[in-house]
Amino acid sequence: MFRFESFFEVEDLLAYSEVGKVTVTATITDPSGVVEPALWYRVQAETYTSVPMQKLDGDTFSVTVKGVDLPRNEYGVWEFYLTAKDGAGNTSQSAID
């Protein structure tokens, strides 16, 4: 069973501009280890896009989505959730934020 403790930080409110970006950082733990952590995001009910998260330190993982990587002409609610596998191959998912 995974435990997700996550927060996200919007570094620029113009997330759709070329200089905008959103960083998601999470603490993900499991007794058998954590592999393949990923952020899944979408804007305005489009299809979710997956990006792998990088390990920072200990149980902390992070990923930055740049404004240029978001769909053009898409303004609205930015939704995301996290997934990861444990060392035994079980997959878990956080709640959608």
Side-chain angles (χ1 to χ4, degrees), residues 2-93:
F2 285 98
R3 191 177 94 224
F4 287 97
E5 296 175 8
S6 64
F7 64 92
F8 70 98
E9 175 183 332
V10 177
E11 295 183 14
D12 188 329
L13 293 177
L14 299 174
Y16 301 101
S17 73
E18 292 188 13
V19 296
K21 58 186 173 180
V22 176
T23 299
V24 176
T25 303
T27 300
I28 308 171
T29 60
D30 187 88
S32 64
V34 175
V35 294
E36 298 181 31
L39 167 73
W40 293 79
Y41 70 90
R42 71 179 181 181
V43 179
Q44 242 1 63
E46 291 292 323
T47 303
Y48 280 97
T49 299
S50 173
V51 290
M53 299 181 79
Q54 303 299 314
K55 187 170 187 161
L56 296 180
D57 187 19
D59 297 324
T60 303
F61 299 85
S62 185
V63 65
T64 297
V65 178
K66 297 177 184 176
V68 296
D69 295 332
L70 297 172
R72 291 286 179 206
N73 301 319
E74 286 295 331
Y75 293 89
V77 176
W78 194 78
E79 297 176 304
F80 73 93
Y81 64 93
L82 306 177
T83 61
K85 290 183 182 179
D86 66 11
N90 301 305
T91 301
S92 188
Q93 176 181 318

